[in-house]
Amino acid sequence: METTTDADTTADQAAFDALIAADARIEPRDWMPDDYRRTLIRQMSQHAHSEIIGMQPEANWITRAPSLQRKAILMAKVQDEAGHGLYLYSATQTLGITRDEMTEQLIEGRARYSSIFNYPTPTWADMGAIGWLVDGAAICNQVPLCRCSYAPYGRAMVRICKEESFHQRQGFEILLTLMRGTEEQRRMAQEAVDRWYWPSLMMFGPPDDDSPNSARSMAWRIKRFSNDELRRRFVAMLVPQAEALGVTLPDPDLRWDDEKQQYELGEIDWTEFQEVLAGRGPCNAQRLQRRREAHEEGAWVREAAAAYAQKQHAGAAA
Ligand code: FAQ
């Protein structure tokens, strides 16, 4: 039996540190510190859960989309989110956790998923605001993750980001169509932007001073930029787009600081963020309940797939 000595571990750690310092990639079979593995499992599984729970606010509008074309586009988008969840679960499994364990953590309410998916979607304009703001925030956060030091995560993010770019444009286009419509449609678009703007800023996580994981994740090159830096980049991207749309970003304190060459944002309501994280957002209970039901309703599919796989395996072995 092989035993691991202190000398082995020190050499492994040195090899890992050298890879990180060289900005190279860590592959699943490479040695990695336990905390690095745990951090990745935490972030990647939360990310996967977000994609899966994130299907719900938009799926809510598939039957009520205003035209056949809008319905087809929305269905494709929601299916893309399912695909993102699946790549991310697969990538997370390379770290030694099973899909069943992750699913259990989610449906038992022990896992986090993005705060943003606990808000309701009362009008069609919310589909535009989600695409423009939520997918826009996702792109700003996730493009740097394409260079994440853990290779399977980075590879999954490349494809995901391409699809998110399409999602953001379709959201922008929904809002543009509404803004070129009637007075009532313009009001509907502005109200949806008012609803989603602040929650989309919260997607980037707590302020840097209050972000316990950032420093280590940045040293490990999992995260490349801090939460506040990405949040500011996102707002800088939104400002000219809001102007093109003719919508107002609902932050009277938003201003360009010429000296710092960056936007200064108004105060974010971090109490609201903490409430949503604690499970007390507008839709937390409903989202989890729906996920649990879907899991139970899907039991026969899992059983059938397992029986089929067993049959194939028996056939191949005969
Ligand atoms: N919601 O120390 P930090 C999408 C937690 S996908 C809930 O700063 P970290 C596509 C955090 O987990 C959206 N919890 O943590 C789509 C930690 O708690 P823990 C999802 C949050 O990890 C579009 C604690 O607060 N994207 O939108 C949130 O360094 C449309 C302290 O925070 C990703 O997951 C939050 N917003 O930075 C789908 C991207 N923020 O675990 C459908 C990958 C923070 O210690 C429709 N993730 N927390 O108990 C990341 O980049 C990072 O994990 C951050 C947080 C930036 C989210």
Side-chain angles (χ1 to χ4, degrees):
M1 197 179 104
E2 277 185 38
T3 53
T4 311
T5 64
D6 284 353
D8 288 338
T9 311
T10 311
D12 286 338
Q13 178 75 51
F16 172 85
D17 291 345
L19 283 173
I20 297 289
D23 213 356
R25 292 287 181 95
I26 308 297
E27 293 288 348
R29 289 204 178 94
D30 291 336
W31 183 91
M32 61 188 85
D34 289 343
D35 282 348
Y36 177 80
R37 186 184 298 277
R38 266 196 293 275
T39 294
L40 283 165
I41 291 177
R42 178 185 63 78
Q43 176 167 330
M44 291 165 68
S45 62
Q46 288 174 1
H47 193 166
H49 297 325
S50 303
E51 301 279 358
I52 297 299
I53 296 280
M55 294 164 73
Q56 293 186 36
E58 288 172 290
N60 177 36
W61 274 92
I62 289 176
T63 55
R64 293 174 291 161
S67 70
L68 183 61
Q69 194 193 18
R70 292 288 188 202
K71 189 195 282 268
I73 295 170
L74 188 60
M75 278 175 72
K77 180 184 190 294
V78 173
Q79 281 177 346
D80 283 354
E81 309 300 0
H84 298 174
L86 298 186
Y87 315 146
L88 287 166
Y89 281 129
S90 298
T92 315
Q93 282 176 272
T94 64
L95 291 158
I97 184 169
T98 66
R99 173 83 178 272
D100 284 347
E101 285 172 297
M102 288 185 272
T103 304
E104 215 167 275
Q105 289 171 357
L106 177 63
I107 62 180
E108 287 177 0
R110 287 185 283 125
R112 288 198 194 286
Y113 58 86
S114 182
S115 50
I116 193 75
F117 301 116
N118 293 304
Y119 291 86
T121 46
T123 72
W124 169 252
D126 292 277
M127 299 304 96
I130 289 184
W132 181 45
L133 296 172
V134 177
D135 287 278
I139 294 169
C140 280
N141 169 262
Q142 292 171 21
V143 166
L145 289 175
C146 297
R147 293 189 291 127
C148 168
S149 59
Y150 188 57
Y153 194 23
R155 284 193 285 265
M157 292 319 305
V158 171
R159 177 157 172 191
I160 290 176
C161 285
K162 284 185 183 154
E163 292 179 352
E164 299 293 21
S165 301
F166 161 74
H167 295 169
Q168 200 213 7
R169 283 174 204 196
Q170 69 84 40
F172 183 89
E173 203 266 332
I174 289 175
L175 290 179
L176 191 62
T177 305
L178 290 171
M179 290 304 289
R180 287 177 176 165
T182 63
E183 186 57 39
E184 199 184 341
Q185 286 171 316
R186 278 196 289 278
R187 197 176 57 240
M188 199 164 90
Q190 180 63 55
E191 284 173 0
V193 170
D194 293 347
R195 269 193 291 281
W196 291 90
Y197 177 74
W198 292 105
S200 73
L201 296 188
M202 296 175 195
M203 287 174 70
F204 295 91
D208 293 349
D209 293 345
D210 204 13
S211 164
N213 300 299
S214 276
R216 212 165 47 161
S217 288
M218 286 172 73
W220 276 327
R221 300 190 199 227
I222 295 171
K223 283 168 88 160
R224 297 273 169 168
F225 301 100
S226 77
N227 299 354
D228 286 332
E229 166 67 18
L230 288 175
R231 198 170 0 251
R232 260 197 295 271
R233 285 180 181 213
F234 174 55
V235 172
M237 181 188 86
L238 290 183
V239 169
Q241 294 181 359
E243 238 172 72
L245 281 172
V247 296
T248 307
L249 297 177
D251 177 0
D253 297 325
L254 179 62
R255 65 177 179 86
W256 173 254
D257 186 322
D258 219 19
E259 216 168 278
K260 291 190 193 154
Q261 287 290 297
Q262 67 183 34
Y263 279 99
E264 289 300 318
L265 323 184
E267 194 55 41
I268 294 175
D269 183 353
W270 292 113
T271 312
E272 174 182 320
F273 176 71
Q274 291 305 341
E275 281 294 292
V276 176
L277 258 60
R280 293 187 290 269
C283 299
N284 292 58
Q286 178 189 333
R287 299 287 185 245
L288 262 192
Q289 175 65 17
R290 183 67 204 109
R291 184 69 203 90
R292 256 182 234 124
E293 286 163 4
H295 186 68
E296 282 159 21
E297 286 160 15
W300 71 271
V301 180
R302 292 190 296 279
E303 279 163 27
Y308 180 74
Q310 215 169 20
K311 215 162 117 183
Q312 294 289 100
H313 184 70

